[in-house]
Amino acid sequence: MLGSHAYADVACDGLLTGRVFSEREQQPLTFVRIDVSPVSTTSTASEASVGSDHDGRFVVESLCAGTYQVRMRSPGYREWRASQVVPQVAPLNVALTREHPPADVVARPETSSEGRDATAAGAADVIEVIRVESSPIDSRSAQPRSVETLEGEDLQVGRGKDLARLVEQVNGVRSVGAGGIAKPVIRGQVGNRIAILQNGVRHLGQSWGLDHAPEIDPFAADRVTVIQGAAGVAYGPEAVGGVIILDAQPPPSAPGVRGELNLMGATNNGQVAGSTAVRVRLPGWAHRWSMQTQVSYSRSANQVAPRYDIDNTGTETMGISAGAAYHSPSTAIDVSFNRYDATLGIFTGVQSENYDRFLEAIERNEPFRQENYEFSYDIDRPFQTVFHDTIRTSVAQQLTQTSTLSFTYAYQKDKRREWDNVPAYRQRFPQVAFDLDGHQAIVKYQSLVGQTIELSLGGEAEYQDSRYLGTTPLLADYTSFRGGGFGLVRWIQSHYELELGARLDVQSTETSKFAAVNPRSAPRINESYRFVSPTLTAGVIVPASSHWMIRGQLASASRMPSVNELTIRGASPGRGIFETGDPDLGVETTYEASLLVSGTYAVAGINVAVFGNIIDDYIHLPASRDENDQQVFLTTIVGKFPSFSYEAVDASFVGTNVELWWLPWPWLHWRGRASLIRGENLSDDAGLTLVPPDQFENRITIRPFKDRNRLQFFFEHIFTRRQDNADIRQDIAPAPDEYHLFNAGASAEFYAFARPLAISLNVTNIGNEIYRDYLSRLRYYSDEPGIDMSLRLEIPLSKDF
Amino acid sequence: MNQRIRVFNHIHPVWLLMLGISMGAVRCGDDDLQDTIPGEEPEVINRIILTFTSGEDETSPIEVTWEDKDGDGGDEPEVDPITLQANTTYSLSVKIGNTLADPDIDITEEIEEEAEDHLLIFSLIDEELITIAYDDKESDYVPDQEGEDYDVGLRNVVTTGEAGETTLEVLLLHLPGIKTGVGDTDRDNGEVDISVEFPLTVEAS
């Protein structure tokens, strides 16, 4: 690879700056040796070595423009290698992985198949290109809030799962759903209170319905980051509860082809899934260009509970992504395309055409017609078809040695069709259809002021156009325009780090809705809404000693009501209730205080997060009551429904997530976790619904042989308590009982066809336990799935030009 | 500075081309929302009419209507009370429709065409003041293909007894391929297309 002569006259005064952390604890690492050697530069350049300071920071000076290989080494940590372009587009933030234990942490191989290739071939010149972060904040740098990243083996063991079930690996994160449809819950918040970003762009989908899963293919990501708590400054008003960030694999830095093939199969629902990705960096004069493509497919039959099949819960999903990128020393440009296409079966035992049927279903303790259920890959009515396209392009330009300007534009198209179980004469078409088009533009400026202040400024504009068509006036059509701006400043001092952020979003929404049932002949009702949503955060990071780190945040974040909360009117599928929106709802405001304490010693560690939220005008969906406090029922042609109406109350959420680990011997690792949360309706002095029940986990990982094939086994016990704090008057059936689940697995890496293959076998619900879960929509009708065995294989592909 | 301008000059056309190709890919997956659910579909049921005709007075049948003029939610449905004479035999016919469409759609015909997949069930809440017997079979509407020739319930015979007040419940069940003709089983297994109640008075004659 030859240097680019266009830059030959550039003076050799480039800087390489960054920060090193321990991956697990997110603690800065001191005395990490950083070696920089030229790969291609504009002139004869020398090698350089520096050490990181007490805060994990480093600066390498007097570098000529060009590409360098950077190596980081520290006793007890795995060596890290990547290529880096000077001048830098962004500071280099690196998380080092421990060499030995904690077994489940470390046993993850290098975080990418590139890394594995390098080991295989022993080739030192196989290098990894630094990701150009499109998120406002590099998700790997320390934040004053809880951040956990799933990659490498953590992702590998979750391949084939949907997004919500994948991120459940993170302590404090749960999912609500039924069968093959699930959505993530972070600290008790779900749907419109969780922002999902894919490749730096906020996902726009039908996030409002409890039976609407995020329209995202997790196979397209090789890193999934979960931020818990208010993070609205950087990620927008939807991030009041938390953020899930998916990032695609970066292209190879050296000319060549990299890729991998992922295969998985599971016994419970007969799932078969595969994904393959190919990334190419062109040789010779075109070496600044890279391209990538990825395709995934998954098919599953219905899930199987210990006593019966959970009829019609099969899924079929397909994902495609493709992209091209251009990187010059000072400019990064890329375009990417993602498609997700899914057919999701809905459990047929959801017998809730009206309230009486619903009560009958609950009393039965087993689904209607369960004796007729058969294991099948067929997906019959009712089902959903979901289709989501995203095109994204971004340009990042280095302005000076310490500042970067970037622009991102994205277009998203989301189509959802719901096919109900209706008489045959109505079966030619779906019963409900939603179309959403969204355009987003994001401008961002990041700069290092002096050596101690990091500054991010940004502006966002978003336009949404949503149309609804169905047999009832369930939801309004709408167009909305939102504009927002934010600023985030970090002071990095030797004994602490401060972060202050502010953001303001203004949204204008026009809704249009049919006044009566028939969409073709009824008059329309049009409404306009204006919302202003301010967010303020203040955070601090204090490395109290080399073993302890304290992080705290105070935040006031607000969220605008969504169009369903304002305008919905209709029977909610699968729940036997009639929902009514409230057009007078306003912005809800969260006041949050959170504290995170992490301690790490050689053989043990602890992570404790404590958080409290007071939410003014928290929008929820309780059962309607009349002036005599009696439940209100609505009469329809198919019977009576209890009426549920959106309403704003004052609420509080208080909770803690605790994780402990201990490594008594090098071959044994124990991890214990607890996740507790309480949600209260302060206005009515009652418990809120859909708050996750307390959960406790114990996991033991054993690595019987040092360094041999990374073979390891794990055993896990999860205890979920009964949710006793929910207000039964807001629900229709009492919470299910507590339950214990036992899981186990084994994973290893071995060489075949001169490649390191990663293989893992997982068994969940070993005891084939019959249980129901409070957060599952199945709980009114059916048990949860029984024993499942899944096998996963990852095969890296590589070829150098 | 110059370098940056150079870069942009070279990149812009290529970048636009890449963007254009991606846009084209999205367009390929496009279809129109309005084509998804055509308007003429008789999607909704919002009216049921019961017509009672007594043998003694065939010229003035008693017609009662249950209708939800603005569809689910909103205003409560309008329900006519039923008043029958004691110790009398009536024929009872059922009409089902969608008056939210323009023009109205008669869904009775659709149910006749799918008589093998549908069953009406009449039951009395509170007092058993009347008896209702089916007076039609699937073969009255369509050639019998599935199962036996079961009852349908669009035509019935009603016999009243003593005077009193009660409530009549009318269920229309959708039983695609699973109709058994056994009321309790079908009631458990069927999808409910209609579940309405009428106040019923039997007057002493």
Side-chain angles (χ1 to χ4, degrees), chain A residues 333 339 351 353 357 364 368-369 393 397 413 415 425-426 428-429 471 517-518 520 569 637-638, chain B residues 4 8 11 15 25 30-31 36-37 39 41 43 71-72 100 114 187-193 195:
Chain A
I333 297 177
R339 169 168 292 180
Q351 189 90 13
E353 302 95 318
R357 300 288 275 188
R364 253 172 198 251
F368 283 99
R369 297 190 289 263
T393 181
Q397 177 69 41
K413 183 169 197 67
K415 296 153 85 79
Y425 60 84
R426 287 163 58 187
R428 276 173 291 164
F429 304 101
T471 52
V517 160
N518 191 300
R520 300 308 151 92
R569 183 181 128 182
I637 190 83
V638 294
Chain B
R4 195 158 66 239
F8 271 89
I11 289 314
W15 176 48
D30 217 351
D31 65 6
T36 308
I37 305 174
E41 278 298 290
E43 302 282 353
D72 292 352
L100 295 160
E114 294 186 23
R187 197 188 169 110
D188 279 356
N189 291 340
E191 292 278 333
V192 177
D193 280 351
S195 169

Side-chain angles (χ1 to χ4, degrees), chain A residues 402-683:
Chain A
T402 55
S403 63
T404 317
L405 183 68
S406 69
F407 171 77
T408 304
Y409 163 78
Y411 167 66
Q412 297 186 53
K413 183 169 197 67
D414 187 275
K415 296 153 85 79
R416 169 176 291 273
R417 304 285 181 266
E418 299 189 0
W419 311 71
D420 284 344
N421 202 352
V422 293
Y425 60 84
R426 287 163 58 187
Q427 284 198 353
R428 276 173 291 164
F429 304 101
Q431 276 53 60
V432 184
F434 306 94
D435 276 13
L436 175 69
D437 288 279
H439 299 267
Q440 291 153 299
I442 306 159
V443 180
K444 217 161 42 202
Y445 171 79
Q446 284 176 291
S447 176
L448 196 61
V449 183
Q451 290 294 312
T452 57
I453 297 177
E454 275 177 32
L455 177 70
S456 304
L457 298 172
E460 275 188 49
E462 183 182 294
Y463 173 79
Q464 288 189 37
D465 178 4
S466 171
R467 280 98 51 213
Y468 159 76
L469 203 59
T471 52
T472 63
L474 183 69
L475 203 68
D477 293 354
Y478 68 88
T479 56
S480 72
F481 179 81
R482 181 193 288 177
F486 71 89
L488 199 65
V489 184
R490 276 187 197 176
W491 279 274
I492 299 135
Q493 298 298 323
S494 54
H495 298 296
Y496 63 92
E497 191 171 318
L498 278 180
E499 184 196 278
L500 288 180
R503 182 185 179 109
L504 188 72
D505 288 88
V506 178
Q507 181 170 313
S508 158
T509 304
E510 310 283 331
T511 65
S512 170
K513 185 173 182 178
F514 290 105
V517 160
N518 191 300
R520 300 308 151 92
S521 54
R524 303 199 72 125
I525 301 169
N526 298 313
E527 301 270 4
S528 300
Y529 302 90
R530 299 276 180 284
F531 298 112
V532 177
S533 152
T535 299
L536 289 168
T537 60
V540 62
I541 303 175
V542 182
S545 73
S546 58
H547 296 297
W548 292 91
M549 164 108 100
I550 299 166
R551 285 175 280 172
Q553 168 171 276
L554 290 173
S556 126
S558 57
R559 177 184 78 92
M560 307 162 187
S562 58
V563 169
N564 69 299
E565 291 164 339
L566 297 165
T567 72
I568 198 167
R569 183 181 128 182
S572 166
R575 220 178 145 200
I577 68 169
F578 195 93
E579 288 183 24
T580 309
D582 179 358
D584 296 325
L585 290 171
V587 168
E588 69 174 39
T589 306
T590 302
Y591 301 96
E592 178 180 294
S594 66
L595 185 69
L596 282 96
V597 179
S598 331
T600 312
Y601 289 84
V603 295
I606 182 168
N607 280 303
V608 179
V610 183
F611 57 91
N613 292 66
I614 300 281
I615 309 180
D616 282 352
D617 300 321
Y618 177 79
I619 299 167
H620 75 145
L621 183 67
S624 315
R625 301 202 160 254
D626 63 17
E627 52 274 22
N628 302 320
D629 204 33
Q630 294 299 305
Q631 202 171 352
V632 176
F633 288 88
L634 274 171
T635 308
T636 74
I637 190 83
V638 294
K640 68 175 177 175
F641 289 87
S643 166
F644 278 63
S645 306
Y646 281 97
E647 139 189 312
V649 295
D650 292 339
S652 73
F653 286 87
V654 177
T656 183
N657 295 321
V658 180
E659 180 175 288
L660 296 158
W661 60 265
W662 182 37
L663 190 81
W665 299 282
W667 51 271
L668 182 94
H669 176 258
W670 167 82
R671 184 184 78 190
R673 282 175 164 183
S675 168
L676 313 173
I677 184 164
R678 295 288 175 274
E680 294 290 326
N681 173 349
L682 301 174
S683 303

Side-chain angles (χ1 to χ4, degrees), chain B:
Chain B
M1 268 307 168
N2 285 338
Q3 300 154 22
R4 195 158 66 239
I5 291 162
R6 277 187 57 149
V7 168
F8 271 89
N9 284 348
H10 282 95
I11 289 314
H12 262 220
V14 182
W15 176 48
L16 289 173
L17 180 68
M18 294 195 296
L19 196 62
I21 292 167
S22 305
M23 284 284 192
V26 171
R27 285 280 161 237
C28 290
D30 217 351
D31 65 6
D32 189 12
L33 184 69
Q34 295 295 321
D35 296 339
T36 308
I37 305 174
E40 67 274 12
E41 278 298 290
E43 302 282 353
V44 180
I45 298 171
N46 75 322
R47 184 175 70 180
I48 174 166
I49 301 173
L50 307 184
T51 307
F52 296 86
T53 313
S54 78
E56 287 135 36
D57 187 3
E58 287 186 12
T59 54
S60 56
I62 301 161
E63 192 177 280
V64 294
T65 303
W66 189 108
E67 184 172 2
D68 193 355
K69 287 183 173 164
D70 66 345
D72 292 352
D75 296 332
E76 285 286 281
E78 293 167 17
V79 187
D80 294 336
I82 306 169
T83 307
L84 302 177
Q85 301 300 311
N87 303 311
T88 310
T89 301
Y90 295 87
S91 68
L92 164 59
S93 68
V94 182
K95 287 271 177 205
I96 290 158
N98 174 8
T99 63
L100 295 160
D102 188 19
D104 295 355
I105 298 169
D106 184 2
I107 292 175
T108 321
E109 293 166 17
E110 310 278 359
I111 293 165
E112 288 175 357
E113 283 168 24
E114 294 186 23
E116 295 194 296
D117 292 343
H118 284 95
L119 178 67
L120 281 142
I121 295 181
F122 301 87
S123 47
L124 293 158
I125 299 169
D126 313 325
E127 293 193 63
E128 302 279 335
L129 299 174
I130 63 173
T131 58
I132 301 163
Y134 292 111
D135 192 29
D136 57 356
K137 293 283 179 194
E138 292 167 356
S139 57
D140 294 341
Y141 307 108
V142 285
D144 186 37
Q145 291 171 333
E146 285 177 18
E148 291 169 38
D149 193 8
Y150 298 123
D151 301 323
V152 181
L154 290 169
R155 292 203 304 270
N156 309 277
V157 175
V158 174
T159 310
T160 60
E162 298 297 302
E165 289 186 359
T166 186
T167 302
L168 174 67
E169 182 192 49
V170 183
L171 280 179
L172 172 63
L173 298 172
H174 179 221
L175 298 145
I178 54 172
K179 190 168 170 182
T180 63
V182 180
D184 285 349
T185 308
D186 286 345
R187 197 188 169 110
D188 279 356
N189 291 340
E191 292 278 333
V192 177
D193 280 351
I194 293 178
S195 169
V196 297
E197 290 175 4
F198 291 88
L200 170 64
T201 307
V202 179
E203 289 180 343
S205 44

Side-chain angles (χ1 to χ4, degrees), chain A residues 19-20 28-30 52-57 492-494 497 543:
Chain A
R19 211 168 165 197
V20 198
L29 289 176
T30 310
S52 62
D53 67 12
H54 66 278
D55 201 26
R57 291 175 192 282
I492 299 135
Q493 298 298 323
S494 54
E497 191 171 318

